[in-house]
């Protein structure tokens, strides 16, 4: 048999695998998306002007740190974001 094509196929496969995120990165991304979705859902409870301002703040924070790749830093940002959001939710619950 002729296996001359094998190294070329391996190179193609390896080049495609370079863009695949690690399991840790994938899980952190899902956690960030879950937090963002929860923020969006929670803002439905407030009036339109505050909702727009709150969503714009959340978007700006997520965009600001979009290029962070260090998993420790991402975990820290998620923890901080979760704490801020929980404090915000507590204020909303008191106000309503």
């Amino acid at each position: 048999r002729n296996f001359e094509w094998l190294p070329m196929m391996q190179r193609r496969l390896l080049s495609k695998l370079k863009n695949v995120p690690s399991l840790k990165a994938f899980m952190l991304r899902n956690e960030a998306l879950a937090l963002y979705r929860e923020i969006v859902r929670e803002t439905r409870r407030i009036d339109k002007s505050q909702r727009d301002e709150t969503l714009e703040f959340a978007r700006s924070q997520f965009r600001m740190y979009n290029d962070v790749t260090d998993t420790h830093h991402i975990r820290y940002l998620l923890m901080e974001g979760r704490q801020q959001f929980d404090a915000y939710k507590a204020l909303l619950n008191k106000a309503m």
Side-chain angles (χ1 to χ4, degrees):
R1 293 186 172 208
N2 185 357
F3 290 104
E4 293 174 1
W5 57 271
L6 186 59
M8 181 180 66
M9 295 299 287
Q10 287 174 336
R11 284 193 303 271
R12 282 186 188 166
L13 181 61
L14 288 175
S15 69
K16 289 180 182 181
L17 289 177
K18 288 180 186 175
N19 297 330
V20 175
S22 68
L23 179 60
K24 242 187 236 183
F26 179 78
M27 291 173 67
L28 288 172
R29 181 179 185 275
N30 283 343
E31 191 176 336
L33 287 172
L35 176 60
Y36 184 78
R37 285 186 198 113
E38 190 176 350
I39 292 168
V40 170
R41 276 193 300 271
E42 194 67 28
T43 58
R44 292 180 187 152
R45 297 174 39 195
I46 58 179
D47 65 276
K48 178 84 169 125
S49 63
Q50 283 185 322
R51 181 184 318 144
D52 292 343
E53 187 178 325
T54 303
L55 285 175
E56 185 53 41
F57 175 75
R59 283 186 198 112
S60 70
Q61 292 298 300
F62 276 86
R63 284 185 191 130
M64 185 185 320
Y65 297 108
N66 189 36
D67 58 345
V68 175
T69 56
D70 179 42
T71 56
H72 296 293
H73 191 195
I74 294 171
R75 283 176 205 235
Y76 169 77
L77 291 170
L78 285 170
M79 183 183 67
E80 285 291 312
R82 171 60 61 191
Q83 288 175 351
Q84 287 180 9
F85 177 63
D86 289 343
Y88 180 75
K89 268 194 337 188
L91 286 174
L92 275 180
N93 290 334
K94 284 183 182 179
M96 295 190 156

